[in-house]
Amino acid sequence: MQENRLGEIRMVAFDVDGTLFSSESIIFKTYVQAIEEFAQKTGKITSLPSHDQIMNEIGKPVRTIFKNLLPELPEPERDQISGRVLDLLCDSIRSGGGDFYAGVGSTIHYLKEKGYTITCASNGRKAYIETVLDTAGVLQYFEPIVVINQDTIHTKGEILAEYVRKYNLEPSSIAMIGDRHSDWEAARENGCPFGFCTYGHGLPGEIPDFDWKFNDLPTLKEFF
């Protein structure tokens, strides 16, 4: 493997939503549909979260999202709604919903051809991540994905730590690529270099620092 501009990086760990794909155009509709279905069935929800309330939660761990949106419900019922959201999202993505950022396929293929190990570090659930990657035609380039399991792994930082352990890598050889504070935090917790994608869902000032930044996915080729 050739030396890259950031040193001897061997693995590239991508965030998904806001980095490879945007669910922004479909997420609100799916959340509202799932919550309305539950409300009609049980009569337990009297008011729906607003668009802003839902969108402000996107990118957080799933149970955190639903605890913030529907604090009056017990966790098993929140899990029921989140499961329905997952099904609706995956169906929508397979039908062409959501938006892939330009250059996903060519950039992932380039990294694989260069010999990098490619994986994900996302707050999303496995079915969601794999549906996104499969629909983009790049799932075959990714190593088995570690996800939050609410047991041994609760955060993106713990996902990266698991890759360090599983692949016996130095943290400095895993590049974390993402757009939100949770991506930055995961990288810094583990001592991994952080690549900030400026085109994602991040808010101004959300990212304290970065090892490098890029305005579109194909620009990654300049660093690797």
Side-chain angles (χ1 to χ4, degrees), residues 62-109:
V62 172
R63 282 190 170 167
T64 301
I65 291 174
F66 283 92
K67 185 175 182 180
N68 291 343
L69 292 178
L70 302 168
E72 72 277 14
L73 294 181
E75 190 169 88
E77 292 184 338
R78 294 198 299 261
D79 287 347
Q80 182 181 333
I81 297 170
S82 72
R84 179 60 176 150
V85 167
L86 178 61
D87 290 342
L88 291 168
L89 273 177
C90 291
D91 287 346
S92 180
I93 293 164
R94 292 188 197 100
S95 301
D99 301 284
F100 288 95
Y101 291 110
V104 170
S106 62
T107 303
I108 297 299
H109 184 263

Side-chain angles (χ1 to χ4, degrees), residues 169-211:
L169 293 171
E170 292 295 326
S172 59
S173 68
I174 302 177
M176 177 71 212
I177 311 295
D179 65 318
R180 302 302 303 264
H181 188 271
S182 61
D183 304 312
W184 171 87
E185 185 176 50
R188 294 298 179 245
E189 280 178 4
N190 287 280
C192 300
F194 175 63
F196 171 40
C197 58
T198 61
Y199 57 81
H201 301 323
L203 304 173
E206 183 173 347
I207 304 300
D209 58 65
F210 47 80
D211 294 283

Side-chain angles (χ1 to χ4, degrees), residues 7-221:
E8 192 53 62
I9 291 172
R10 303 183 63 82
M11 174 181 281
V12 184
F14 285 97
D15 171 51
V16 175
D17 220 324
T19 302
L20 301 177
F21 175 78
S22 176
S23 63
E24 202 162 2
S25 63
I26 58 174
I27 198 83
F28 178 69
K29 181 173 67 175
T30 59
Y31 271 63
V32 167
Q33 181 176 337
I35 294 170
E36 282 183 335
E37 286 176 0
F38 180 86
Q40 289 168 5
K41 200 178 299 182
T42 66
K44 288 191 174 184
I45 299 172
T46 55
S47 63
L48 293 172
S50 69
H51 179 273
D52 286 348
Q53 283 176 312
I54 290 173
M55 297 311 299
N56 287 341
E57 294 297 319
I58 302 310
K60 297 176 184 178
V62 172
R63 282 190 170 167
T64 301
I65 291 174
F66 283 92
K67 185 175 182 180
N68 291 343
L69 292 178
L70 302 168
E72 72 277 14
L73 294 181
E75 190 169 88
E77 292 184 338
R78 294 198 299 261
D79 287 347
Q80 182 181 333
I81 297 170
S82 72
R84 179 60 176 150
V85 167
L86 178 61
D87 290 342
L88 291 168
L89 273 177
C90 291
D91 287 346
S92 180
I93 293 164
R94 292 188 197 100
S95 301
D99 301 284
F100 288 95
Y101 291 110
V104 170
S106 62
T107 303
I108 297 299
H109 184 263
Y110 169 87
L111 292 172
K112 191 66 176 179
E113 288 290 299
K114 295 281 284 186
Y116 293 98
T117 300
I118 305 172
T119 192
C120 290
S122 168
N123 282 329
R125 285 167 284 187
K126 188 174 184 180
Y128 172 77
I129 296 168
E130 291 188 344
T131 298
V132 169
L133 299 180
D134 188 44
T135 304
V138 297
L139 180 59
Q140 68 270 28
Y141 299 128
F142 282 74
E143 294 296 307
I145 296 162
V146 175
V147 296
I148 291 171
N149 59 20
Q150 305 298 344
D151 180 19
T152 57
I153 298 175
H154 305 84
T155 66
K156 286 184 186 180
E158 291 176 356
I159 291 174
L160 286 184
E162 178 62 12
Y163 288 135
V164 169
R165 185 200 65 77
K166 183 177 178 181
Y167 291 90
N168 195 28
L169 293 171
E170 292 295 326
S172 59
S173 68
I174 302 177
M176 177 71 212
I177 311 295
D179 65 318
R180 302 302 303 264
H181 188 271
S182 61
D183 304 312
W184 171 87
E185 185 176 50
R188 294 298 179 245
E189 280 178 4
N190 287 280
C192 300
F194 175 63
F196 171 40
C197 58
T198 61
Y199 57 81
H201 301 323
L203 304 173
E206 183 173 347
I207 304 300
D209 58 65
F210 47 80
D211 294 283
W212 85 106
K213 65 177 179 177
F214 53 100
N215 298 323
D216 55 51
L217 273 170
T219 303
L220 275 177
K221 299 174 187 178

